[in-house]
Structures are given as C-alpha cells and as structure tokens.
C-alpha cells in the first residue's frame, strides 16, 4: 500500500511494533530495585470493618510494607475524588461497600510474595444487608450505603431532568397513539485485553514522582494526583505507554494507582501493581445498568410527536462517572435521537447500590448508548403498535437535511446531517424489500428470521470548554508542532491512543496540511512532560478536538513558512499561494513558476537567511483548540438474524453498517473502528452481562462467566459510508470511535424481536442468550419493570 500525502488508506505506523511484539506496556516497565504490590479485596458486598490485623503479613520475610486505610488516613489519602466530584475510598476504613473493594495493599520483593502475604492479613467484618437492585435502593428501609456523607438520609445521588415537561405532557394528552415500554440496559464491562496497573517511582532527592499507567487522559490524571496526593504538579510526570485497549476502562483513577504511589513514597523504591483479570472484571469501570421507561406519542399515520423518558441509573457504591459538571446524567440528553419531534422530557435518578463504581465509561460517549438504545427500541415498539414497517416509520420521522444545523428539543445543536440518504443507502445495500419477502416466505414455513434497524446520532468531541469539563477542567486540548531543519516534523498532542491508530491518522492530518509524507511526521503522546495539556481520549473526542488542534497548529506552521518563503523569494507574503502537488507542499509566487517547498523553507527558517522584522525564524508552533460545538456523527444499521426455533440460538447472518463521520482521514482505520464496535454491540445484545446474586456476590469475574464476542458470533460486516462534513471542524471530520458500539445493540435486539414477532413478543431485555430467547418464545420474556413511578 503506497503512502498517501495526506488523507487516505494507509497501514498503521504503530503496527510495525505491535505485530512484532515490540509494543511497550506498563507491565513491561521494570526499574532497578522495583517492588510489587497486591491488593486485598473485600469478600462482602456490604460490611463494617471491625479490625484489620496485618502483623503476620508484615512478618513475611519478603514483605516491605502493608498499607491499610488507616495508614492512608494518616496521610489524608484514604479517600480520593471520583471524576464526578463524589469520593471513593482508596482503601476502606469504615465499611466495605462492594465485593472486591480495596481493603489493604501489600508491597513485597516479588509479585508472588505480595499475593501470598494477602492471605496473612486478618480482617474481621461485620456483614450488613446489601442493596443490589437499584429499584430497591430508595426503599425507606434500604440500608444506607454512603453513611460517610454527612447528613445523608438515603441512597439517591441525583435527580436530573431535561426538556419541557408541560409541553410534552400536553402533546401526550392529545396524542392519537401512545406507547410505553420499560427496559433495562444491563451492566456491562469494557474488558480490554490489557488490565489496569501502574508503576510509581517517587524520587526522594528530587521530589519527582513518575507514574506509568495506561491512562486515556494523562494530563487529567496528573492534575488529580496533584490534588489527591498534595504533590506539586510540576513534580509529577504521568507516562501512558502503549495501551492494550481502553474502551473507557482506562479513563478513571483506580485505588491501585494511588496505592502504588503511596507504596513508593513509603518504601523509597519503585512499586509496580498490575491487576489480574478477575480484579479487572470485579472492580473497575462498569457501565450502563440503566432501568428505563420510554413513552412515545404519535399520530395514527405514524408522525412521532413527543418522547417522554424516566430513568433509574445504578452508579454502584461510588459515583465514578466522568460527566461534565453541568450534566450529571451525561449525554443522555440526546435521547430525542435522530427524529423531528415537537417536545421531549426526561428525568434521570441516579442511585447508589452495593456494586463496584458504575455509570462509568464503556465505548459510551457519556450515556448516549443507553439513550440510543431506548429511542431505537421505542421506534420499533411504535411500529409494532401501528402495524408499520420500521424502516418506513424511521424514514418518515428522521430529521431532513435542510433542518441542519438543528437544535434539538433539549437544546443541543446537531452540526450537520443527511439522514434519509444514509438510511436509504443501508436499505439498498441490504436489499431491504427482498429481505422482507424472504422473511415472509420463511415465516410461512415456521422459520424465524428477523430484520432489525437502528438509526443513531452521536454527540462527540467535548467541549466547548464553557459547557464541558471534568472536575472543573475545561475540555480544550493543546497541540505543538516542531518542524526540523530538514522538514521532518514532530507533533505533540494531549490525547492518548489505546489502539485507535493516532500515530497514523494524526500524522496524516499534519501531512495533509503541510504537503509532506505521513512517514515524515512522528506523533508524541502519553507523556505529560512531553506534551501540552489537554483532557485526553474518550467520548471519541480525539479527532474532533486534538485532531482539530493538529490541523490548526499545522496551519500556523504553514503561515510561518509563508513569511520565510517570502523572504527567500523576495516577494510579498500576500503574493504567495499555497499548493500541494505530487512532490509536496510549496509556497509559490502567484502567476510565476517560482516557489519553495516546505522542506526548503524549513531549512531556510533555521539558516542565516536575513528575515524581515517580526519574523522569528524556525517554524515551530503551538495551539489550544477549544471546539465551538460537539460533532454529531450518525449512521444507519441493519441486522439480519436467524433464530433457531428449537434452541433459541441467535445467528447474526448479516450486518450492514453505513456510518457518516464526516471527512475520513484514514478510511481503513475508520472501518477497523466500526468493526470493533459492531462486534461489541453483538456481544452486548446477545452475551455480555455482569450479574450479581442477591447478596452482591459478583458472578462474572472470569471470561468463563462474562462472555465476550469472538469471530464465531460475528458475520462478515458489510460497511458503507456517506460523508457529511462537520461545518465547524477544520477538516470536516467527526469522531467515530464509539459509533458502532452505540448504534449496533438496538439493531441486533430489534432483529431478534422481529424474528420473534409470531410469538407476539414486544420486548425482552439484553442479553438475548439462547435461554432468554427461549423464554420469550414461551411467552415469558425476561423483562424488568421500572419500579419507580
Ligand atoms: N478517524 C478518521 N476519520 C474520522 C474519524 C476518526 O480517520 N472522520 C480515526 C481517528 O483519527 C482515530 C480513530 O479513527 O485514529 C478513532 O478516532 P475518534 O473517533 O476521534 O476516537 P478517539 O481516537 O478519541 O478514540 C476514542 C474512542 C473511544 S472513546 C473508545 S471507548 C474506543 C474507541 O475509540 N476505545 C478503543 N475505539 C477503540 N479502538 C481500539 N482499538 N481500542 C480502544 O480501546
Ligand atoms: Cu465512553 S468509553 Mo470511551 O469514552 O473511552
């Protein structure tokens, strides 16, 4: 594959090291004299801690320190802030609040001794009743989970609403048709290949703390460590090396990171702590767990008028959700979906339960996943009620291209879209009418075939900083571009790749702007000492924000180059034109053939060439990009399934995905992102479930119990694209990293329920396992009702 001068398909630059086993991950960091940490975790979901006896562990010959909540309390570190300004116990002092919670930290000479010594710690617990079902957490007699909060009387975290209740209720009161459906988006886990971990190295002499951890947001981590540990921020360096998948799991700060830091401060040696798989599945970053009620009002002929939503959000024992301060329920705001509505209203109640911190990220774009699932299920429920075709019903109600930029009933401005075109392309690719005919014939023969559609609008690329923040840090991102005398460039960005290929696509952005080869651009990220401040990678914000910063800083460099070129050509800068041809980018004098390539200009910028007053020399530049708005990518997905009437087994036979993420920098990487997200969606729809028993015992702490999709469950994806550029993004790109995870679960579920139409089933909750489908076929679908009114 030849290397394009800018945008286009090219193999990922980083793969040269990944596929040779030369990646460098946190667990590859080995420092002289390094010690190893291990965490003792709670066996109870809810219990008071009576005593912790560490003497036997301390007597272990290879143990160097045992840290408990009490040790941390002495340092004022027993609690740390979460990403939503709640607090989370680093090591439990008073109570444990979920099974798997961190209780003590052992530091030993090797990882085996550290693990062995955990067994020697004696903790006496006084077990308490646990609240596992969010719908019971607000019962008057429910045990109070967060009695550490002064004055707290119940388990409620927040009540939040959006939209106009009076107008919405009025539309419903007049509506010809209204449908209601309760549904659960179950608790799931991102389960990346690499688990979480950290290496902390505190240098007593210089006072410098270096932390290697696989974080999606190194700068945000640094600021939080400064706030948590009280260390001066300029003495903290966070290095996020290669990351083996994040999917949201690597956004937060986990107690183990803080323990590793304290371990290093206490022992004076570097300390490594790495989770095992069970620890990762039990204690980090759960998402969803949303009990939802959707209501849709429409006319008899299928014009949707309003949507009304109630949600009960289970955020576990510590509210770990990373949401802008303004939006405690995050981007659930986008619950009006892709449709032209008169009115909308939603209420979200967040509650604590005795589960690991939930409400956190998992390829989620801050809760849009749940909102899209709700809307897209509701459209199918309405179609069933009206006896309408779900594709036609969507086509009729989708926003029209002339309505963009479109302000939603909850005040969000969708930047651009051409929804009908995208849905039509998906239908054409699927051969929609033929599929419906095939389905009708099969139904005659008792075969169960289903066709499911979803249309989603995503909102990605947070800021602007006046609306979006994490713990008060505004969401804008910096970029720095250095151009060496030979015209080779180094781009430094604040975002951090976990597998998305930034070293390639970001080099392509600079390459396109400067007319050089992406091979001549190195991308530096993931080291706070080497990169400008910014809020990192999540909510598919890298391309919308850092990608824009990369384009803008390249344009600054280009403008500097123009000044130098003018001096070289003895022309006025205004008379120069920028052009990129096969040999690269150059400033040329308009109307003459005379010009200088960017490489010639770079050399001259560093030479003894006389430059006019005010022209500094060198080409390096920096910029901070504060996005004017989010970007709103969208897509139309069609899933075709066959259900085995004898076993309830679902086979995803075809999956057509048409994504519109504006201008594509590297279509091959975009397709890879979509493939991953689609597989994820099939997993969530059919297999993935973090289950607990009534006492709060975690039932999914291994991949034997928590099922992940493999190639076996996935069809050969059929991808299409439409390109509606973002009008406010410098290169017209929108984010895409989470689109398919957001858009695909409802398509799969809609397809399975479509297959089950002969059984009169209107809804069944995910995951649609064979057992679940079988029960639905017996007229007893697995369903959870939203018990709050
Ligand atoms: N891209 C492009 N053209 C566009 C949009 C994106 O070429 N119009 C490219 C980007 O430049 C980048 C990739 O596609 O190389 C994804 O870009 P973007 O949509 O900006 O998303 P981020 O880079 O911010 O990645 C975050 C997103 C999130 S939030 C989750 S969760 C997720 C996802 O990415 N986690 C992933 N995809 C993942 N892919 C891998 N391999 N591993 C993860 O952990
Ligand atoms: Cu929402 S999971 Mo991603 O934003 O890292």
């Amino acid at each position: 594959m030849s290397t394009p001068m800018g945008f286009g398909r090219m193999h990922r630059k980083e793969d040269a090291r990944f596929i040779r086993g030369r990646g460098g991950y946190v667990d590859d960091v080995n420092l002289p004299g390094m010690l190893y940490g291990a965490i003792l975790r709670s066996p109870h979901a809810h219990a008071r801690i009576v005593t912790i006896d560490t003497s036997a562990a301390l007597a272990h010959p290879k143990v160097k320190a045992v840290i408990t909540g009490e040790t941390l309390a002495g340092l004022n570190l027993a609690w740390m802030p979460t990403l939503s300004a709640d607090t989370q116990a680093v090591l439990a002092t008073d109570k444990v609040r979920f099974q798997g919670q961190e209780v003590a930290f052992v530091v030993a000479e090797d990882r085996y001794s550290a693990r062995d010594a955990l067994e020697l710690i004696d903790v006496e617990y006084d077990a308490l009743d646990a609240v596992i079902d969010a719908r019971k957490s607000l019962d008057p007699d429910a045990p109070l989970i967060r009695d550490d909060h002064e004055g707290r009387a119940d388990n409620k975290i927040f009540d939040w609403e959006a939209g106009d209740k009076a107008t919405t209720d009025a539309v419903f009161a007049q509506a010809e048709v209204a449908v209601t459906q309760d549904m659960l988006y179950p608790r799931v886990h991102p389960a990346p290949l690499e688990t979480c971990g950290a290496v902390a190295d505190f240098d007593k002499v210089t006072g410098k703390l270096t932390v290697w951890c696989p974080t999606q947001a190194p700068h945000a981590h640094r600021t939080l460590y400064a706030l948590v540990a009280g260390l001066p921020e300029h003495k903290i360096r966070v290095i996020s090396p290669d990351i083996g998948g994040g999917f949201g799991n690597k956004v937060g700060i986990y107690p183990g990171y803080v323990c590793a830091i304290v371990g290093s401060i206490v022992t004076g040696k570097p300390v490594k702590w790495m989770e095992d798989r069970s620890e990762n599945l039990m204690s980090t970053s759960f998402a969803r767990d949303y009990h939802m009620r959707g209501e849709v009002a429409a006319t008899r002929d299928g014009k949707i008028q309003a949507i009304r939503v109630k949600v009960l959000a289970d955020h576990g024992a510590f509210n770990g959700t990373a949401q802008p301060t303004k939006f405690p329920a995050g981007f659930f705001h986008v619950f009006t979906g892709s449709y032209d509505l008169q009115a909308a209203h939603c209420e979200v109640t967040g509650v604590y339960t005795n589960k690991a911190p939930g409400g956190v990220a998992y390829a989620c774009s801050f809760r849009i996943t749940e909102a899209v699932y709700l809307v897209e299920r509701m459209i199918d429920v309405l179609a069933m009620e009206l006896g309408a075709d779900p594709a036609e019903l969507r086509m009729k109600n989708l926003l029209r291209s002339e309505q963009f930029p479109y302000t939603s009933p909850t005040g969000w401005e969708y930047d651009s879209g051409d929804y009908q075109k995208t849905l039509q392309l998906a239908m054409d690719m699927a051969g929609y009418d033929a599929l419906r005919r095939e389905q009708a014939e099969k139904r005659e023969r008792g075969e169960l075939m289903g066709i499911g559609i979803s249309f989603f609008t995503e909102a990605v690329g947070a800021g602007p900083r006046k609306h979006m923040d994490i713990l008060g840090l505004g969401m804008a991102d910096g970029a720095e571009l250095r151009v060496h005398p030979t015209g080779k460039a180094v781009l430094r960005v604040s975002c951090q790749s976990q597998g998305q290929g930034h070293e390639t696509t970001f080099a392509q952005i600079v390459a396109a702007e400067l007319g050089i080869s992406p091979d001549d651009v190195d991308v530096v990220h993931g080291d706070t000492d080497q990169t400008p401040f910014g809020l990192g990678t999540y909510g598919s914000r890298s391309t919308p924000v850092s990608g824009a910063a990369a384009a803008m800083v390249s344009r600054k460099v280009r403008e500097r180059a123009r000044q130098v070129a003018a001096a070289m050509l003895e022309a006025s800068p205004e008379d120069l034109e920028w052009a990129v041809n096969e040999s690269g980018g150059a400033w040329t004098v308009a109307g003459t053939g005379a010009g200088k390539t960017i490489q010639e200009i770079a050399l001259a910028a560093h030479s003894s060439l006389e430059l006019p007053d005010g022209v500094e020399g060198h080409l390096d530049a920096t910029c901070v990009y504060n996005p004017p708005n989010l970007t709103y990518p969208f897509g139309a997905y069609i899933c075709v399934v066959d259900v085995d009437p004898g076993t309830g087994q679902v086979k995803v036979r075809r999956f057509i995905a048409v994504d519109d993420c504006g201008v594509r920098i590297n279509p091959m990487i975009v397709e890879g992102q979509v493939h991953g997200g689609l597989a994820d969606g099939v997993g969530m729809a059919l297999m993935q479930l973090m289950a607990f028993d009534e006492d709060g015992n975690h039932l999914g702490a291994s991949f034997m119990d928590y099922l992940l999709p493999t190639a076996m469950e996935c069809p050969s994806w059929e991808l299409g694209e439409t390109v509606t550029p973002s009008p406010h993004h410098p290169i017209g790109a929108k984010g895409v990293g989470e689109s398919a995870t957001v858009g695909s679960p409802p398509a799969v579920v809609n397809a399975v329920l479509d297959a089950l139409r002969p059984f009169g089933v209107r809804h069944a909750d995910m995951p649609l396992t064979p057992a679940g489908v079988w029960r639905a076929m017996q007229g007893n679908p697995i369903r959870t009702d939203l018990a709050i009114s």
Side-chain angles (χ1 to χ4, degrees):
M1 189 174 296
S2 69
T3 307
M5 192 66 81
F7 299 170
R9 285 175 190 275
M10 69 177 267
H11 285 148
R12 301 200 312 179
K13 294 169 62 155
E14 44 272 76
D15 286 347
R17 66 175 189 281
F18 290 154
I19 61 178
R20 288 176 174 84
R22 298 291 292 275
Y25 301 87
V26 167
D27 207 12
D28 295 323
V29 175
N30 288 307
L31 303 175
M34 191 169 78
L35 303 174
Y36 296 82
I39 291 177
L40 180 72
R41 295 178 181 277
S42 165
H44 296 282
H46 201 192
R48 202 158 286 291
I49 294 178
V50 184
T51 54
I52 303 180
D53 182 355
T54 60
S55 52
L58 276 167
H60 187 293
K62 295 205 165 163
V63 168
K64 297 291 172 194
V66 180
I67 295 161
T68 62
E70 208 177 316
T71 329
L72 294 181
L75 301 164
N76 212 8
L77 289 175
W79 293 81
M80 62 178 192
T82 68
L83 295 176
S84 53
D86 191 2
T87 48
Q88 174 171 356
V90 177
L91 293 174
T93 45
D94 52 340
K95 287 205 304 191
V96 287
R97 294 175 171 84
F98 67 90
Q99 191 188 51
Q101 189 182 333
E102 300 79 0
V103 175
F105 188 70
V106 172
V107 184
E109 281 172 23
D110 59 71
R111 51 177 102 199
Y112 311 100
S113 303
R115 290 267 164 157
D116 286 349
L118 295 181
E119 313 261 313
L120 301 173
I121 302 175
D122 191 12
V123 187
E124 193 189 326
Y125 293 101
D126 185 3
L128 301 168
D129 287 343
V131 189
I132 301 306
D133 186 337
R135 294 164 305 165
K136 295 188 182 146
S137 79
L138 297 179
D139 287 354
D141 57 348
L144 184 63
I145 298 169
R146 298 302 301 276
D147 45 355
D148 55 298
H149 289 166
E150 213 166 304
R152 166 175 287 284
D154 61 24
N155 292 320
K156 188 179 285 189
I157 307 174
F158 60 80
D159 270 322
W160 178 81
E161 69 179 309
D164 184 335
K165 183 166 167 46
T167 319
T168 308
D169 290 350
V171 175
F172 269 90
Q174 307 275 317
E176 290 171 15
V177 183
V179 286
T180 304
Q181 182 62 54
D182 284 6
M183 60 190 86
L184 171 71
Y185 206 130
R187 183 169 268 240
V188 288
H189 192 283
L193 208 57
E194 180 202 26
T195 59
C196 298
V199 175
D201 184 15
F202 181 68
D203 184 328
K204 277 204 172 116
V205 177
T206 60
K208 180 114 184 174
L209 171 69
T210 308
V211 184
W212 286 261
C213 65
T215 167
Q216 299 179 215
H219 292 273
H221 272 222
R222 185 189 63 196
T223 304
L224 276 169
Y225 292 140
L227 296 172
V228 172
L231 292 166
E233 196 170 359
H234 65 300
K235 295 281 189 188
I236 303 176
R237 178 179 185 186
V238 175
I239 302 177
S240 190
D242 286 331
I243 297 184
F247 309 103
N249 190 235
K250 297 187 175 137
V251 175
I253 293 181
Y254 297 115
Y257 300 1
V258 180
C259 288
I261 293 170
V262 174
S264 179
I265 293 174
V266 168
T267 60
K269 303 271 184 182
V271 173
K272 178 188 281 187
W273 164 75
M274 287 303 301
E275 276 176 348
D276 66 21
R277 180 59 60 190
S278 296
E279 293 182 285
N280 182 260
L281 286 170
M282 277 180 95
S283 64
T284 61
S285 267
F286 289 91
R288 329 283 193 249
D289 222 343
Y290 267 37
H291 295 260
M292 307 185 277
R293 170 171 301 157
E295 293 177 90
V296 170
T299 61
R300 235 323 107 223
D301 63 357
K303 177 76 193 103
I304 302 169
Q305 295 162 305
I307 179 159
R308 197 159 58 185
V309 180
K310 241 184 188 106
V311 178
L312 182 65
D314 182 341
H315 284 206
F318 305 103
N319 185 19
T321 171
Q323 309 293 10
T325 316
K326 258 191 166 177
F327 310 110
F331 289 17
F332 197 84
H333 247 289
V334 188
F335 70 93
T336 58
S338 317
Y339 305 101
D340 187 15
L341 305 171
Q342 287 169 27
H345 183 247
C346 107
E347 292 171 283
V348 183
T349 299
V351 297
Y352 291 117
T353 59
N354 289 111
K355 301 185 203 164
V360 264
Y362 170 12
C364 60
S365 297
F366 300 77
R367 310 259 79 85
I368 291 174
T369 322
E370 292 87 334
V372 164
Y373 179 73
L374 176 92
V375 185
E376 291 307 302
R377 278 299 300 126
M378 289 313 297
I379 301 290
D380 266 37
V381 167
L382 178 67
M384 191 172 171
E385 174 76 18
L386 296 173
D389 177 89
E392 253 171 57
L393 187 63
R394 284 181 173 80
M395 205 51 115
K396 182 173 185 153
N397 287 286
L398 283 174
L399 293 163
R400 297 179 313 282
S401 58
E402 64 273 17
Q403 287 176 279
F404 291 90
Y406 165 79
T407 305
S408 82
T410 50
W412 293 55
E413 194 183 288
Y414 295 11
D415 57 350
S416 62
D418 193 346
Y419 292 0
Q420 271 90 358
K421 182 165 131 194
T422 304
L423 178 55
Q424 191 58 54
L425 176 59
M427 289 170 69
D428 293 346
M429 285 171 61
Y432 187 73
D433 295 337
L435 282 173
R436 284 286 174 209
R437 282 195 297 275
E438 179 191 344
Q439 179 185 42
E441 286 161 19
K442 288 196 164 151
R443 270 190 190 156
E444 294 281 310
R445 299 200 295 269
E447 289 172 41
L448 303 177
M449 166 184 166
I451 305 158
I453 303 173
S454 87
F455 196 101
F456 66 91
T457 300
E458 262 259 75
V460 302
R465 53 195 288 271
K466 68 174 176 195
H467 290 145
M468 308 282 167
D469 72 294
I470 292 293
L471 290 179
L473 298 171
M475 290 183 161
D477 286 61
E480 268 176 44
L481 184 59
R482 296 187 190 167
V483 182
H484 300 324
T486 55
K488 313 289 183 193
V490 177
L491 174 74
R492 293 165 189 274
V493 284
S494 51
C495 61
Q496 165 62 22
S497 176
Q498 310 108 51
Q500 295 90 338
H502 293 174
E503 286 166 48
T504 307
T505 48
F506 279 59
Q508 288 183 275
I509 295 171
V510 174
E513 295 291 338
L514 294 186
I516 60 179
S517 164
D519 294 334
D520 290 344
V521 185
D522 251 13
V523 176
V524 176
H525 55 183
D527 181 343
T528 54
D529 271 10
Q530 295 212 45
T531 56
F533 189 87
L535 272 261
T537 293
Y538 41 82
S540 305
R541 66 190 293 281
S542 303
T543 305
V545 189
S546 288
M552 297 309 274
V553 80
S554 303
R555 288 174 194 179
K556 272 195 182 172
V557 163
R558 209 163 67 196
E559 275 314 302
R560 296 181 68 120
R562 182 209 283 256
Q563 304 298 326
V564 176
M568 293 168 81
L569 294 160
E570 294 175 355
S572 150
E574 294 76 53
D575 293 339
L576 298 188
E577 283 172 350
W578 176 254
V580 181
N581 59 29
E582 300 86 69
S583 49
W587 282 109
T588 53
V589 184
T592 76
K596 295 290 175 190
T597 66
I598 191 81
Q599 288 85 355
E600 289 167 335
I601 300 168
L603 195 56
H606 291 84
S607 73
S608 55
L609 171 76
E610 194 90 34
L611 294 170
D613 287 350
V615 180
E616 291 173 316
H618 300 189
L619 296 181
D620 304 350
T622 67
C623 95
V624 175
Y625 189 76
N626 176 27
N629 188 5
L630 298 158
T631 65
Y632 291 80
F634 54 92
Y637 291 174
I638 300 180
C639 176
V640 183
V641 300
D642 295 311
V643 177
D644 184 333
T647 63
Q649 178 84 36
V650 175
K651 169 99 190 131
V652 179
R653 192 210 309 171
R654 288 181 67 194
F655 201 109
I656 295 91
V658 180
D659 271 276
D660 191 323
C661 57
V663 174
R664 296 181 176 206
I665 300 155
N666 185 329
M668 189 164 69
I669 285 183
V670 170
E671 287 165 14
Q673 290 289 303
V674 173
H675 280 193
L678 294 177
D680 230 353
V682 167
M684 282 186 278
L686 303 181
M687 306 158 71
Q688 277 168 260
L689 172 69
M690 260 314 157
F692 296 81
D693 72 11
E694 281 176 3
D695 299 324
N697 291 310
H698 191 282
L699 305 178
S702 83
F703 285 152
M704 295 284 283
D705 305 302
Y706 187 71
L707 302 182
L708 295 183
T710 66
M712 291 290 288
E713 287 79 26
C714 298
S716 185
W717 313 111
E718 299 169 55
L719 304 190
E721 65 168 316
T722 55
V723 176
T724 313
S726 168
H728 62 76
H729 188 277
I731 57 174
K734 303 182 180 188
V736 77
E738 293 157 306
S739 287
T741 318
V742 169
S744 56
V748 179
V749 172
N750 284 343
V752 175
L753 290 164
D754 185 54
L756 299 183
R757 198 57 44 89
F759 300 90
V761 186
R762 189 162 92 160
H763 180 72
D765 282 325
M766 294 186 281
L768 295 170
T769 60
V773 172
W774 179 258
R775 272 188 57 175
M777 283 158 53
Q778 312 309 309
N780 180 26
I782 297 179
R783 294 248 344 266
T784 54
D785 298 308
L786 178 61
I788 57 163
S789 53

